[in-house]
Amino acid sequence: MRLRLFMVLAAAVFIMTACTGPSAQEEMYNHLEEAVKKEEGFREQQQPLVKLENEEQELYEKIIDLNMDQFDKIQSLSKEATGIVEERQEKLEAEKESIEAAKEEFDKIKPLIDELDEEQAEAKEKAEELVKTMEKRYEAYQKLYNAYNEALKLDKELYEMLQNKELVEEDMQKKIESINNSYNQVIEANEEFNQYTEEYNNQKKELYEALDLNVSYEESEKSEE
């Protein structure tokens, strides 16, 4: 029912520079790698979110195995599941805050692109491509956030419905169908976000090469369920 598989920004380590002061390319490097650090909050939310999703799924399965003679138990488990949905919402907001901070840091490279001279035309082109890809990645994350936020809203509505003893089964099935459709949108948005993240990581490497920056890369990580 749920899937979290997020690619993250690749981190690079600056090995050596021949410049005595911070050049435009070194400042660009600093902002790009600071953006990676500011996405740590995004990375850190992944495993806790997966854990909460699993806990909620277990509660949901317990609920649907019960009958109306056990309504008190259904009500209790539904309230517990609602609490988990609220925790997931908190993690999602922390994740979004981290992405926005990283984007704000990334945007600081834009004025530096104009400082690259004519001999760095290739690097300038690579930097402009990177900016376009980051914009698309950020837009993809906004879609992902909105889709996941909507899914959480529907989850919460379902658990509220389950606390009503007069619940009509047809209404519950419609809500479950809406939830499943919503998570399909999450998966689609997630795939788009990952696509742009991969493009971004590759283009950043190309930019560093064009800037003649001697860097090494850390392995990118994924968070998955």
Side-chain angles (χ1 to χ4, degrees), residues 38-204:
K38 289 188 175 180
E39 273 202 21
E40 279 297 318
F42 167 76
R43 191 187 316 231
E44 289 167 0
Q45 301 310 315
Q46 304 313 304
Q47 288 304 324
L49 267 167
V50 169
K51 183 173 181 291
L52 289 169
E53 287 173 356
N54 287 336
E55 289 174 3
E56 184 195 325
Q57 186 66 25
E58 289 174 9
L59 288 173
Y60 173 75
E61 289 171 0
K62 286 180 182 178
I63 291 168
I64 61 174
D65 282 341
L66 298 172
N67 56 51
M68 291 309 293
D69 292 336
Q70 300 166 292
F71 180 71
D72 287 346
K73 185 66 174 175
I74 291 173
Q75 195 172 45
S76 174
L77 291 175
S78 296
K79 287 179 179 178
E80 188 178 348
T82 298
I84 291 178
V85 172
E86 290 170 355
E87 287 185 65
R88 289 170 61 202
Q89 183 72 56
E90 290 174 7
K91 298 292 183 186
L92 179 66
E93 296 306 323
E95 177 185 278
K96 183 173 186 285
E97 184 178 336
S98 174
I99 289 283
E100 289 178 343
K103 176 64 166 53
E104 185 177 344
E105 184 68 33
F106 173 87
D107 286 344
K108 293 176 183 178
I109 77 163
K110 292 178 180 178
L112 296 170
I113 296 173
D114 292 331
E115 294 183 25
L116 298 176
D117 57 36
E118 293 179 2
E119 294 180 357
Q120 297 171 305
E122 182 185 358
K124 188 171 184 177
E125 182 181 345
K126 296 290 184 186
E128 289 169 349
E129 287 177 0
L130 191 68
V131 168
K132 289 178 183 176
T133 300
M134 175 55 100
E135 296 291 346
K136 290 176 182 177
R137 179 179 184 264
Y138 184 70
E139 289 171 8
Y141 177 76
Q142 293 302 316
K143 285 199 283 187
L144 177 58
Y145 168 83
N146 291 336
Y148 197 82
N149 198 45
E150 177 63 16
L152 289 175
K153 176 177 170 250
L154 293 172
D155 279 340
K156 194 170 183 180
E157 288 174 359
L158 173 63
Y159 294 124
E160 288 171 354
M161 289 174 69
L162 288 166
Q163 293 175 52
N164 177 10
K165 200 167 188 177
E166 306 303 319
L167 173 64
V168 177
E169 184 175 355
E170 184 181 352
D171 293 338
M172 185 182 75
Q173 290 302 323
K174 285 180 180 178
K175 183 64 68 176
I176 291 171
E177 184 178 341
S178 296
I179 290 171
N180 289 336
N181 288 337
S182 186
Y183 277 107
N184 285 335
Q185 291 178 29
V186 170
I187 291 169
E188 289 176 9
N190 181 51
E191 289 173 352
E192 185 178 9
F193 175 75
N194 284 344
Q195 174 192 335
Y196 287 125
T197 302
E198 185 174 8
E199 285 182 23
Y200 176 92
N201 287 335
N202 291 333
Q203 289 175 1
K204 188 174 77 166

